Structure formats: structure tokens, C-alpha cells
Amino acid sequence: MTYKVLIQGPPGTGKTHALMGIIENDMDQYGITPHDIVMCTFTRSAAKVYAGRIRRKNPTLTDDAFFNFRTMHSMCARLLKLKKHDFVNVSDVYRMVSTNMDDVFDDVPDVLPSDDTDGDDEDLADAIDNDKTLEFTGMISNQMLSQMIKIDNLMRICMLDDYDELYERTGISLTYYDRGLKSVQTIPYEDMIDFSDSWREFMEMHEKYDYTRILEEVYEEEIYPDAIILLGDEGQDYSPLQYAIHNMWAERVRKAYIGADSNQALYRFSGADPTLILNDYFDERIELTQTYRFGENILNNSKKYLAPMRYKAEVAYMPASHKDYVSKFSGTDRLRDILTNLNQEKQTLVLARTNNMVASLGKMLEKYSVKFDYLHNKKSEVARYIESYNILAALERDEEITLDDMLKLIKRMRANVQINDTTTLSGETTKKKKPILKMGVKKKLRDGTIKNDTWNKRLIERMLMKTKWDPTLMMKSLGFYDSDFLRKVYPEHVEMDIKVKVGTIHRAKGMQADTVVLICDIPYPVQKAIAESEAALDAELRVFYVGATRAKFRLVEIDEVFPVDSILRYI
């Protein structure tokens, strides 16, 4: 009989530390090893954090010991023994639409997928929406197709059959904005059903998987990992399908733990449902009641976001003992005063609701000569550039590289490179695009058509390239020469002493800083959704609750920075 435990932890109370303590205690008490533990995290980096902490106390453990420390999607893919070529990509979507849906869309053209289309985009809908190589004509557009994929995925991951219920739960509906027509359009109900049926039939026929089908197959076929202990982190962000899998796996283990704070469920648009944990049965509930992050003022201020929530965990917790401060302002003039007077020696987060708002804030900070960085991981981007350079350097030394290294290199290359060409007697320079890779190379690599285990520069030149081997062009195709990142951003923004970070509230999840400047403006689509649905307001309150609880010593809430509504008007 499984013993189910919930670790309920408000912001700053140490859920990660508590889960780590559980792992270490069970390893000592039952004599088990990490091999016997399935640790499902929300991100790959979180899995590495847990593995790293255990390894510090057990330095003899190797990477293989933490094979089951991974995201749920990754765990399910491992159980199904899937390889990279088993996953669908943008090209597959285009192929399905062009061949399977002529009865739905009158004007679907024959599709030649772009060589530049990346094959492993985790969000297929976004990849199609951003694809500049194809714009369907007639009744279908990239935006319509993107919305169809998004809706189909959410219906499946939320385990729903009703589109109205989907909108109530996630805020995603059959309407979308068509950039070509510059207007809001609505997908016909029958067409949406036909698309979903055709897409699922296509995946079954071609034995392909999207990220939801991985979960569906594990759940429907009742496939279990071999484990004694099951742990789930950030359980409040599980979709109904993920939560169903967690509970299914829990049936076969000795103990099943899940760490969560339902009040911080901010991925509603991805199917997260805070009621799943709130309504579930647990043999034991461990409530962490002491925050170590912020004091009484920030704690009391956060309650204003909790009060109007429809579904929330009622956990009383104590503030930290240090002094903290909360202040509220309005208008761009006050924001300018705040930004120009930031203590750049203190850790500071400047948070906003959308990427567009973040971009505007970045321009303001540059204008005010504030040294800052964006929250997305520049260090990992540097690592990718360095890794690509080392692979390229090995090839230039006539060394052989593995198939995995070759795939990394080709994936990061642009198929065409812009070059400066002096073509006139006066010496006038024009810019031309020079093709580097042969047509269809990336697709063949994704499909596994090309399978050489080792590669050298002569083999790459013969099989993949449209030009002669030229390390200068190769480096240019990887962005080494014309990249703002290497030329400007790398020396300025990867320094460890940059304290001011700017980003969306979602990116700041799990972080903390001495000072948080929280922009309380909400974009128009969110404002419209709030007017139509209580669930939308509930979701938005959770987002700003997360933002407001990132601060340790000082929280500044400011609105009327942008010409939109403010979340503060609803509380």
C-alpha cells in the first residue's frame, strides 16, 4: 500500500530543501540508492540541482545513478524507448495538412518545408506561428494552424472533450489573431474536430509522437518505472494528464511524495490545474510554516493577491525576522526615478507580465545607464557557442567527430549566410546570401536518413554542404561574426557581478532578490479574458502573487507604466 505525502510550501519556506531531506532520509532508512528513486521535476535544470546536492554528500555516485532524475516527459519517453527521430516536427505538421485535410481546407498548397525549420521545438505551435518560410493562402494561415495545434494539445493534456470547458480552464479558445488579415478570426468547430482527428491518425500511422502523445501512451498502456520511491516537484503546475500519471505510478511504489504550492500555479495556459492537489487525498500533509525569504510587510502584502482567488491553499506561515518594505507608485516618471536610483550592488529583479513589456523596460534601463541583464540564461548561450567552436576547431584539425556533435553543429548553422560582395568598379559593397547547406539536409538528419557514426570535414563537405569547406563561412553561419551576442553581449552581460535582472514573472519563478520592482500592468488580451472569465482573474492573481513574493527586503509595485489596465484594480 502506497503512502502518499504532500509537502505544502508557501514561497521561501524551502520545499526543495524539504524534498532533499526526504530523499536523504529514505536513502539512509531503507538503504536505497538514487537508482530506486524516480524524481520528476518541472525542468531539466531542477533535476540537475537535486542530483548535484545528493552527489555532494555521496561523491562516489556517477551520472548513471541519477538516470531517473528527469522531467516527466523525459521519463515517459525513456519508458517508451523513443529516439529523436520518433518525434514530430514542423515539417510533419505541414505534410499532414497538405495531404490529409483537403476536404477541410480548399486552398492548402503542396508544402515544401523549410530547411531552416528546427526539428525539436518543444512548442510546435510557437514554431509554426514564428515560421517565416511559409504562409498558407486561402482559408488557412500559420496562426490558424498554430492555434489548432495548441488547442488539440491542451484538450488532450487536460483530458477534455468540450472546447468551452477548455476556455474556462486555460483561457485558450477557438479565436486567434491572423497577422495576414490583421483581424481576430475564429476556427470553425467542425474544422477543429477534423484537424484533431487527422493529426492523431497521422501520428499513429507514421508512429510519431508529440509531447502529449508520450504521456497519453504511458498512461493508457499503464507503463510504470521500476522504483521504490516517487517524488514530484512543482506539483501545482501539473496538467490533469501529468497528475494522473503521477498517481498511477504512485500505485507501484512504497512512498509517493509531491511538493507543491497551489497558490503558485501560474501555468494555467499550459493546462495546470491547482484543484488537483487541493482535492486529492494524502496520507500525510507536511506544511512548511516558516518563510526565510521576506518579512511581515511583504507577507501581508501578498495576501491581497490570495484573497480573491477561487481556489487556494489555506496555509498560515510565519515571516522572516528581518525588516522589509513595500511601496506603491504609478506612472513612467516614478518608474524612471526608481530605476535611476537602484542600488546596483544589490540583487534586483525588474519583472513584468509580457516579453514586450520586458523589452520596453530593457530600453528604459539602457537609456538610464543602468547595468543589467535579462533573465534568460546567457551563460548557456555562451556554452553553446563555445561548444560549437570546439567542434568546428576539431574538424579543422582533421579530427573525427561523433554523430551527436555533428548534429549539434548542423542544427545551429543557418542554411544561408549573408556575405559582403564587392561587385562594382567603384568598389560598392552589396550584401548577398550564400547557401551553405544542401536542400533538405536538416530534414534528412532529423529523419535518420543520414546515419554515419563518425564525421570529418571532407565527409561533411561531400554529403551536406553546397559550398567548399570554409571555416570562415562556417563560423559566420554559426553567428560568430555578425552576432550581437558575441560582439557585444558576451563581455557585458555574462559577468557574474551584474545584479539587476529584467524578465517576465514566469521566468522569475523559483528566484529571489533583495529588491523586486513589479510592473503591475496587464496586457489587453488578459484584461479581455478577465472580463469574460473568473478563471482568468484567478490565474492572473497567481502570476502576480509569484512576482510579489520574489522580494526579500524591498518590494516596489508600480502600474500605469504602459497604457493598459492594472492588476491592482481587481484586488
Side-chain angles (χ1 to χ4, degrees):
M1 186 71 178
T2 302
Y3 192 74
K4 293 178 61 177
V5 182
L6 170 66
I7 298 94
Q8 177 74 36
T13 53
K15 289 188 298 297
T16 301
H17 181 76
L19 283 169
M20 280 302 310
I22 287 168
I23 294 174
E24 292 167 354
N25 180 70
D26 284 352
M27 287 175 64
D28 293 338
Q29 183 176 349
Y30 301 114
I32 61 176
T33 70
H35 282 288
D36 304 310
I37 299 170
V38 169
M39 176 78 218
C40 284
T41 59
F42 198 65
T43 63
R44 289 188 293 268
S45 59
K48 291 178 182 177
V49 168
Y50 282 103
R53 292 192 182 185
I54 294 175
R55 182 176 286 161
R56 280 198 290 272
K57 291 191 175 183
N58 302 270
T60 58
L61 293 173
T62 64
D63 288 344
D64 292 342
F66 302 96
F67 198 60
N68 291 332
F69 284 54
R70 53 182 68 218
T71 65
M72 183 175 287
H73 285 88
S74 176
M75 190 69 203
C76 289
R78 187 184 75 79
L79 292 173
L80 295 172
K81 300 179 180 179
L82 298 181
K83 304 298 183 183
K84 186 174 182 178
H85 62 265
D86 294 318
F87 293 96
V88 293
N89 54 46
V90 175
S91 301
D92 290 320
V93 180
Y94 291 160
R95 182 154 57 110
M96 186 279 290
V97 172
S98 64
T99 56
N100 291 27
M101 301 192 65
D102 289 337
D103 56 331
V104 178
F105 302 111
D106 297 332
D107 299 314
V108 176
D110 291 333
V111 177
L112 180 64
S114 161
D115 279 341
D116 292 327
T117 302
D118 196 355
D120 62 348
D121 289 279
E122 293 194 8
D123 193 327
L124 215 52
D126 285 347
I128 288 175
D129 191 27
N130 295 325
D131 185 15
K132 307 302 182 186
T133 64
L134 173 73
E135 285 292 339
F136 284 120
T137 58
M139 293 176 62
I140 191 170
S141 68
N142 281 40
Q143 291 77 55
M144 182 177 185
L145 191 56
S146 170
Q147 189 72 356
M148 284 179 152
I149 291 172
K150 186 179 296 183
I151 290 170
D152 174 68
N153 178 67
L154 283 170
M155 291 290 288
R156 291 153 59 204
I157 206 165
C158 292
M159 308 174 81
L160 297 175
D161 297 313
D162 187 282
Y163 293 114
D164 291 335
E165 189 175 351
L166 177 72
Y167 176 72
E168 174 64 19
R169 180 173 293 182
T170 68
I172 306 297
S173 70
L174 294 173
T175 61
Y176 67 98
Y177 182 78
D178 190 301
R179 289 198 295 264
L181 299 174
K182 296 182 178 179
S183 62
V184 174
Q185 302 292 315
T186 301
I187 301 169
Y189 182 84
E190 296 79 8
D191 291 352
M192 184 64 237
I193 293 175
D194 286 344
F195 173 85
S196 293
D197 291 342
S198 298
W199 180 229
R200 296 173 202 186
E201 288 172 9
F202 176 89
M203 287 191 287
E204 290 177 9
M205 181 183 302
H206 295 278
E207 296 184 348
K208 292 276 190 175
Y209 290 80
D210 63 7
Y211 285 88
T212 302
R213 190 185 175 203
I214 301 170
L215 304 180
E216 289 175 320
E217 188 149 323
V218 165
Y219 183 64
E220 291 165 4
E221 299 296 325
E222 297 185 2
I223 302 173
Y224 297 83
D226 184 17
I228 298 174
I229 303 295
L230 171 67
L231 295 104
D233 192 15
E234 303 292 355
Q236 75 278 353
D237 292 321
Y238 278 5
S239 67
L241 180 54
Q242 288 173 302
Y243 199 73
I245 291 172
H246 175 87
N247 279 341
M248 181 182 79
W249 288 350
E251 296 170 359
R252 298 285 184 91
V253 298
R254 185 181 299 169
K255 283 188 176 182
Y257 302 92
I258 191 163
D261 178 10
S262 297
N263 300 335
Q264 295 188 71
L266 74 171
Y267 290 99
R268 167 179 175 259
F269 57 86
S270 297
D273 186 348
T275 64
L276 296 171
I277 284 179
L278 289 172
N279 297 332
D280 200 3
Y281 168 79
F282 293 94
D283 296 290
E284 182 181 357
R285 291 174 180 262
I286 300 173
E287 294 187 350
L288 307 177
T289 57
Q290 172 68 61
T291 182
Y292 302 95
R293 180 176 298 162
F294 44 77
E296 186 175 6
N297 292 317
I298 293 176
L299 188 152
N300 289 335
N301 180 76
S302 70
K303 293 177 181 177
K304 71 185 180 188
Y305 296 107
L306 293 175
M309 286 183 191
R310 294 193 304 170
Y311 312 108
K312 53 182 174 287
E314 301 287 356
V315 179
Y317 63 106
M318 300 297 294
S321 58
H322 62 255
K323 285 280 189 181
D324 62 351
Y325 306 90
V326 177
S327 51
K328 301 176 182 64
F329 302 101
S330 296
T332 53
D333 290 342
R334 295 310 302 268
L335 178 62
R336 181 191 63 231
D337 295 339
I338 293 166
L339 296 180
T340 53
N341 289 291
L342 282 175
N343 183 345
Q344 296 186 41
E345 298 303 314
K346 295 285 188 180
Q347 294 286 352
T348 301
L349 290 173
V350 182
L351 304 178
R353 181 61 178 81
T354 67
N355 285 318
N356 287 337
M357 291 178 178
V358 168
S360 297
L361 290 170
K363 291 177 181 177
M364 291 182 195
L365 287 163
E366 287 178 352
K367 181 179 178 181
Y368 305 146
S369 300
V370 177
K371 192 176 184 181
F372 74 98
D373 192 7
Y374 291 103
L375 278 181
H376 59 271
N377 192 348
K378 292 283 178 58
K379 289 183 69 177
S380 64
E381 195 169 349
V382 171
R384 285 194 294 271
Y385 272 104
I386 293 173
E387 181 182 45
S388 299
Y389 177 84
N390 287 334
I391 295 170
L392 194 59
L395 289 167
E396 187 61 17
R397 293 192 299 266
D398 287 324
E399 297 175 8
E400 289 190 337
I401 63 171
T402 65
L403 175 60
D404 284 342
D405 282 344
M406 193 280 298
L407 288 170
K408 291 176 184 176
L409 191 69
I410 298 299
K411 174 185 172 182
R412 294 166 188 169
M413 287 176 62
R414 293 190 290 268
N416 300 289
V417 174
Q418 186 168 284
I419 60 173
N420 295 329
D421 188 21
T422 304
T423 57
T424 66
L425 292 175
S426 63
E428 181 180 347
T429 300
T430 59
K431 291 184 177 181
K432 293 184 177 180
K433 283 191 174 181
K434 186 170 185 176
I436 300 294
L437 300 176
K438 292 178 180 178
M439 179 73 74
V441 159
K442 290 191 176 183
K443 184 177 186 302
K444 289 177 182 178
L445 290 170
R446 289 195 301 267
D447 295 344
T449 307
I450 304 174
K451 298 180 179 179
N452 297 65
D453 291 331
T454 59
W455 292 78
N456 56 42
K457 67 181 180 183
R458 287 174 293 280
L459 188 61
I460 292 174
E461 177 185 280
R462 187 174 75 251
M463 296 185 66
L464 308 180
M465 296 182 64
K466 201 168 183 177
T467 63
K468 293 287 187 182
W469 177 269
D470 184 338
T472 301
L473 278 180
M474 295 284 281
M475 290 179 71
K476 193 173 180 66
S477 75
L478 289 164
F480 279 100
Y481 289 147
D482 58 352
S483 168
D484 285 341
F485 182 76
L486 282 187
R487 185 177 67 249
K488 183 178 68 175
V489 179
Y490 175 63
E492 293 182 5
H493 290 300
V494 184
E495 301 170 32
M496 297 303 291
D497 62 343
I498 293 181
K499 306 296 186 185
V500 180
K501 303 290 180 70
V502 185
T504 63
I505 299 170
H506 286 85
R507 279 203 178 271
K509 180 73 166 65
M511 298 181 180
Q512 62 182 17
D514 297 326
T515 299
V516 169
V517 179
L518 182 63
I519 310 301
C520 295
D521 295 333
I522 53 177
Y524 176 73
V526 172
Q527 179 184 341
K528 182 175 180 292
I530 287 174
E532 297 173 354
S533 167
E534 289 184 13
L537 175 59
D538 186 78
E540 206 62 20
L541 290 167
R542 296 176 195 280
V543 173
F544 282 90
Y545 173 73
V546 168
T549 53
R550 300 308 93 194
K552 294 168 64 178
F553 300 103
R554 184 187 178 204
L555 171 65
V556 179
E557 295 177 329
I558 182 165
D559 59 7
E560 298 181 19
V561 174
F562 302 97
V564 290
D565 206 354
S566 167
I567 190 66
L568 299 178
R569 190 171 71 82
Y570 298 90
I571 56 181

